[in-house]
Amino acid sequence: MSIIDISQAVVNRRAIKGFDPSHQLTQEEKKMLFDHAFLAPTAFNIQHWRVVDVTDRKLRAKIREQAWDQPQVTDASMLLVLCMDLNAWRKNPERYWQGVPQEALDFILPKIHEYYDGKEQVQRDECMRSCGILAMSLMLLAQEMGYDSCPMDGFDYEAVGKLINLPQDHIIGMMVAIGKKVAEPYPRTGKLPMSEVLFENGF
Ligand SMILES: Cc1cc2nc3c(=O)[nH]c(=O)nc-3n(C[C@H](O)[C@H](O)[C@H](O)COP(=O)(O)O)c2cc1C
């Protein structure tokens, strides 16, 4: 893919609310989406995302009740709940560096421990960083495949956590709906001027 194709995907991606409820992604398409999305980077390669693909229509309806009745929850081809394992950094971290020379392992494993141990805010921040990167990867890949998406945090996190049996040491980062759009979004509005969001060498 050329640089132009990627910028096209970035430009074309919009938060879509109207999806075709009869459309399904094939298993091959889903595999391609996930195979590529999970190549996104994570600090220390801990890959702490745990994604719930909600295929059960009844569960989707229950989630919609907890998500301000937003139609994309039930109508999109896919509803992904992007969950994060707060403790992934300490669950056999050597598997994230399988195959590297022993001296590299001896360096990285204590570093991982030092970076996260006892630092709940750091653990949580890391989850949100990775979740954002994964979400954008999914949305751009969807774009490339001819689909659209909607990132979502308009829902009751606790209630949705209960509905998907979220493990105790996991958190939900956000949801992403993916599918075939049937309604065009409003033209982009309210974009801030570059001078308000971009700085050279500090504020
Ligand atoms: C973390 C996050 C949560 C969002 N939650 C919702 C949501 O619950 N429902 C919705 O319709 N749009 C949601 N949006 C979409 C934003 O409103 C949208 O991205 C923004 O207005 C810019 O529009 P655009 O994405 O079409 O350029 C969310 C976006 C982000 C990044």
Side-chain angles (χ1 to χ4, degrees), residues 14-182:
R14 297 294 315 280
I16 298 299
K17 291 134 191 29
F19 288 96
D20 175 358
S22 66
H23 179 269
Q24 294 291 314
L25 267 76
T26 64
Q27 286 308 315
E28 291 71 33
E29 285 177 311
K30 282 191 173 195
K31 186 178 178 322
M32 188 157 80
L33 179 70
F34 290 128
D35 277 349
H36 290 130
F38 291 134
L39 294 177
T42 48
F44 299 111
N45 197 31
I46 58 178
Q47 303 156 73
H48 43 167
W49 36 58
R50 307 288 180 259
V51 176
V52 178
D53 177 9
V54 186
T55 57
D56 181 338
R57 291 276 148 194
K58 287 190 192 132
L59 183 54
R60 289 266 207 117
K62 286 186 190 158
I63 293 176
R64 179 169 168 171
E65 283 172 18
Q66 304 298 338
W68 312 348
D69 196 31
Q70 297 190 73
Q72 59 272 41
V73 173
T74 48
D75 296 354
S77 311
M78 294 177 86
L79 179 74
L80 303 176
V81 187
L82 307 189
C83 308
M84 305 297 302
D85 182 349
L86 285 162
N87 280 322
W89 62 274
R90 61 169 145 212
K91 293 179 179 170
N92 303 326
E94 56 283 350
R95 65 206 163 108
Y96 312 137
W97 291 92
Q98 212 176 16
V100 301
Q102 190 61 42
E103 66 261 31
L105 210 54
D106 291 344
F107 172 79
I108 204 88
L109 294 182
K111 272 273 171 282
I112 294 177
H113 202 264
E114 189 186 309
Y115 197 87
Y116 299 108
D117 189 36
K119 300 173 190 162
E120 280 185 22
Q121 182 71 48
V122 175
Q123 294 166 15
R124 214 185 152 81
D125 289 350
E126 200 74 274
C127 284
M128 292 305 169
R129 270 190 285 276
S130 302
C131 181
I133 294 171
L134 177 65
M136 194 60 181
S137 301
L138 285 163
M139 292 189 284
L140 294 183
L141 287 162
Q143 208 64 48
E144 189 201 2
M145 294 165 77
Y147 295 122
D148 282 280
S149 60
C150 188
M152 299 184 68
D153 66 5
F155 60 92
D156 181 328
Y157 276 65
E158 209 179 308
V160 172
K162 279 195 187 119
L163 285 170
I164 60 165
N165 299 319
L166 187 73
Q168 201 77 48
D169 61 352
H170 288 40
I171 53 174
I172 298 176
M174 64 197 288
M175 300 198 292
V176 175
I178 293 173
K180 236 182 181 16
K181 73 176 170 198
V182 289

